[in-house]
Amino acid sequence: MASCLAPALLLLLLLGSPTNVAPNRCVDAADACTADARCQRLRTAYVVQCLGRAAPGGCPRARCRRALRRFFARGPPELTHALLFCPCGGPACAERRRQTFVPSCAFSGPEPAPPSCLAPLDACEHSRVCRPRLLAFQASCAPAPSNPDGCLRDQVPSCLRAYAGLVGTAVTPNYVDNGSARVAPWCDCGASGNRREECEVFRGLFTRNRCLDRAIQDFDGGWPSVLHDQLDPHQDPEHSLLQVSSADASLEGSSMLSMLPVLALQPLL
Ligand SMILES: *[C@@H]1O[C@H](CO)[C@@H](O)[C@H](O)[C@H]1NC(C)=O
């Protein structure tokens, strides 16, 4: 079962959706990443890691997360951020946004229920990788009650950068569903005992943070210029081939799949 699913997921992640009925900026962002050699290479690297099998039913989570940190650290920010914050008007786009970084490996699991947020928080505080990133996120996305709109001026870029920096750490956040742009790490505060308040404060950095919410929403404003150049179909022949294949609505699923080895798997070999 898993071996059937993986190629389909690769197809979804590496190519656009074959029938592009509604505008879907997450697909546009994926196409733009595909057209950029460095973005495509780093994304292929994390997809391969995150879809890998470790123990039965498990995945190589540490390697998956490391590859994700590399993607956001070394990829072109305008492209990696477009994948993470693509503005969505419907569930298909938002579901794709939620799936962007293979959350089944990097975000949730291995247990079916989320742990107490104290677990990722404690792990992060003891991690040289995670701790400075969490501090940067706290500082960059912090509300500023003394300011007129409640957030720091010009906060959006640094807040989004700091948020992206957490992806691939012990406190990897993600969108909680495909009906909103709300985000949270994979945890809750149900079983946090006498540290309940500490737990809620930490979780609230993501779930009750109007400056973070606004920064994610504001990415919309920077969108058109971000991808304008990237989506020029004359930019390179391989990319225009991808554009043709994803725009051709009459294309059968089977022929789409038969093109897959040529178009998408080549960089994996
Ligand atoms: C949105 O999420 C729900 C619940 O997880 C799921 O059943 C549904 O298929 C998702 N919608 C899309 C378009 O993927």
Side-chain angles (χ1 to χ4, degrees), residues 14-61:
L14 295 174
L15 297 175
S17 123
T19 47
N20 226 344
V21 280
N24 184 331
R25 281 152 146 187
C26 293
V27 171
D28 292 346
D31 287 345
C33 181
T34 302
D36 179 275
R38 188 156 46 111
C39 190
Q40 166 72 347
R41 177 170 50 76
L42 290 164
R43 185 172 50 146
T44 302
Y46 79 67
V47 169
V48 167
Q49 289 295 344
C50 299
L51 293 181
R53 297 276 138 206
C59 72
R61 196 177 203 196

Side-chain angles (χ1 to χ4, degrees), residues 90-96 98 177-179:
C93 174
E95 181 66 21
R96 187 170 169 120
R98 202 170 70 79
D177 55 36
N178 61 29

Side-chain angles (χ1 to χ4, degrees), residues 92-168:
C93 174
E95 181 66 21
R96 187 170 169 120
R97 180 173 62 182
R98 202 170 70 79
Q99 299 292 342
T100 289
F101 59 74
V102 197
S104 58
C105 185
F107 173 72
S108 57
E111 291 81 21
S116 162
C117 289
L118 296 169
L121 176 59
D122 289 344
C124 187
E125 288 187 333
H126 291 98
S127 158
R128 273 180 306 150
V129 170
C130 187
R131 190 179 145 80
R133 292 166 184 242
L134 182 58
L135 291 173
F137 170 72
Q138 273 175 293
S140 306
C141 300
S146 58
N147 278 30
D149 72 347
C151 299
L152 297 168
R153 269 169 58 81
D154 306 324
Q155 185 176 40
V156 170
S158 62
C159 176
L160 295 183
R161 202 160 46 237
Y163 176 92
L166 285 175
V167 176

Side-chain angles (χ1 to χ4, degrees), residues 203-226:
R203 195 173 143 81
L205 291 174
F206 300 89
T207 58
R208 288 186 302 274
N209 184 337
R210 65 176 178 280
C211 300
L212 173 62
D213 291 343
R214 190 176 309 169
I216 291 174
Q217 247 125 54
D218 271 11
F219 188 78
D220 203 352
W223 182 264
S225 63
V226 165

